[in-house]
Amino acid sequence: MPGPNLVFVALILAAGIPLCLRHLELRALRAENDRLRQSTVDSSIMANTSPASVRSFQQSPPASPPLSSEERFELLQLRGQVQPLRDQLAIVT
C-alpha cells in the first residue's frame, strides 16, 4: 500500500493539472476575445470614416516628443502673443 505522502501528492496532481490547463485555456480565450473586440472597434471606426481622412491619418507624421517645462513655458508665452498681434492686424486692415 502506498504511503500517505504518495497519496497526497497524487491527489494534488490530480486536482492541480486540470486547474492549470483550465487557467491557460482561459488566458488564451481572453487574449483572443480582446483581439476580436479591438478588430471590431477598428472596423467600425473604419466604416464610419471617409477614405480621404483615413489616408491623411495614415500619412500624418508621428507625434512629437513631450516638451520640457522651459519649452512648454515658451510655447504658452508665444500663444499669448498671438491674439494681440491678430488684433493689431485687424486694426491695420
Side-chain angles (χ1 to χ4, degrees):
M1 178 165 168
N5 287 341
L6 187 59
V7 172
F8 180 71
V9 169
L11 286 174
I12 295 293
L13 287 175
I17 290 173
L19 288 175
C20 287
L21 292 175
R22 176 154 171 105
H23 173 72
L24 292 174
E25 182 181 358
L26 283 174
R27 278 182 38 189
L29 289 172
R30 284 186 182 126
E32 182 181 6
N33 194 14
D34 290 341
R35 183 183 54 78
L36 291 172
R37 282 186 182 172
Q38 185 61 42
S39 75
T40 303
V41 168
D42 291 344
S43 65
S44 68
I45 289 172
M46 293 302 250
N48 295 328
T49 308
S50 70
S53 63
V54 171
R55 278 192 301 278
S56 68
F57 176 75
Q58 291 172 342
Q59 295 170 354
S60 63
S64 59
L67 299 175
S68 69
S69 60
E70 295 154 357
E71 291 172 327
R72 184 166 174 75
F73 180 73
E74 183 179 0
L75 177 63
L76 292 175
Q77 279 185 325
L78 293 171
R79 284 183 181 170
Q81 294 172 3
V82 168
Q83 190 59 46
L85 291 173
R86 285 183 180 159
D87 293 341
Q88 288 177 2
L89 183 62
I91 292 172
V92 172
T93 57

